[in-house]
Amino acid sequence: MIRRALAVLFWLAAVSAQAGGHFDVDDAGTLDPGQCQYELWGTRVRSEDATLWHLGPACRVGPVELGLNLDRISVPGDAVHVLGPQLKWTFLGQEPEARWSAAVSMGFSSQLPRRGGRTGGQFVVPVTWRATGSLMVHANLGADWAIGSGTRTGRGGLAGEWALNDTVSLIAERNRAFGLWTSRVGARVSITPLISIDLSAARTGPGGVRSFSVGLNHEFGR
């Protein structure tokens, strides 16, 4: 049971180790110059009695966004910590109202304490299409390197983000990573222009493993 739960949470940590919060499909945007943020969120897999906590601070440095991901994966009787840097660069459509934008995002992760070279990584190309003033479509294409084995697998996903108003956005996505499909629906609620709360529910894999997530996003000037 512990091995199965850890496998599920390792998958969640690897899929979500990016700048899109706990949502699997990332957008192509980056922070504005001089801005920083942190993302704090948790995911619960009740069927496996497993929990993932994630802290991800990031800052805009020159043309790129630099971040650090710290994850704690816990099951009854065991816990694993994963740490790694993240880099993201929007090379197309940096203007806020750009119809099309694209970026490259890459990250590295290592299990702590390091046991026998347990490392992994990720490379993703996010593309965002602003279909209307209230609807954006995000697409991802890339690859993951699994922590421990180093096995490379392709990843890809598609998401729709619909702004009901200035406060609430609905998000639905379908993503494939490490050979498993995940369907997720959720919402992003803006408390202030710089603080938002994320909520979502997901089903992963042929067994339909259910997970629930809640997150906090806070952006601020340096």
Side-chain angles (χ1 to χ4, degrees):
M1 177 180 176
I2 289 178
R3 286 184 178 181
R4 179 183 173 187
L6 283 173
V8 170
L9 268 298
F10 263 130
W11 180 86
L12 287 170
V15 168
S16 302
Q18 53 192 332
H22 76 264
F23 289 97
D24 304 324
V25 179
D26 196 8
D27 61 59
T30 52
L31 291 167
D32 292 333
Q35 291 294 103
C36 294
Q37 71 171 9
Y38 65 83
E39 299 171 342
L40 174 65
W41 49 264
T43 295
R44 177 69 174 170
V45 184
R46 184 175 298 176
S47 62
E48 311 299 335
D49 196 16
T51 304
L52 165 65
W53 288 104
H54 172 89
L55 175 62
C59 284
R60 177 72 176 264
V61 180
V64 302
E65 181 179 304
L66 296 179
L68 184 67
N69 297 311
L70 175 61
D71 297 279
R72 185 181 191 274
I73 306 161
S74 61
V75 296
D78 201 359
V80 173
H81 295 84
V82 179
L83 178 70
Q86 187 84 21
L87 181 148
K88 188 177 181 182
W89 172 47
T90 299
F91 62 87
L92 174 68
Q94 297 185 28
E95 304 80 9
E97 300 302 320
R99 192 69 179 270
W100 288 92
S101 55
V104 290
S105 176
M106 60 190 72
F108 171 83
S109 54
S110 178
Q111 183 178 334
L112 301 175
R114 190 171 181 180
R115 304 172 184 174
R118 289 182 175 271
T119 60
Q122 181 185 95
F123 178 84
V124 182
V125 177
V127 176
T128 294
W129 171 43
R130 186 178 294 274
T132 69
S134 60
L135 176 63
M136 292 189 293
V137 178
H138 312 298
N140 286 182
L141 186 64
D144 295 287
W145 288 262
I147 294 176
S149 67
T151 302
R152 186 180 69 179
T153 54
R155 64 179 294 137
L158 190 67
E161 183 175 351
W162 179 32
L164 297 180
N165 49 47
D166 292 338
T167 302
V168 179
S169 294
L170 302 180
I171 301 172
E173 60 183 18
R174 179 77 166 161
N175 188 74
R176 186 178 189 273
F178 294 98
L180 297 175
W181 285 97
T182 293
S183 299
R184 183 185 300 274
V185 293
R188 177 163 291 160
V189 181
S190 296
I191 308 303
T192 74
L194 298 178
I195 300 175
S196 61
I197 301 292
D198 291 343
L199 301 166
S200 77
R203 290 172 60 95
T204 299
V209 175
R210 296 176 182 268
S211 60
F212 302 91
S213 302
V214 59
L216 168 67
N217 312 296
H218 182 199
E219 184 177 332
F220 53 93
R222 286 189 293 180

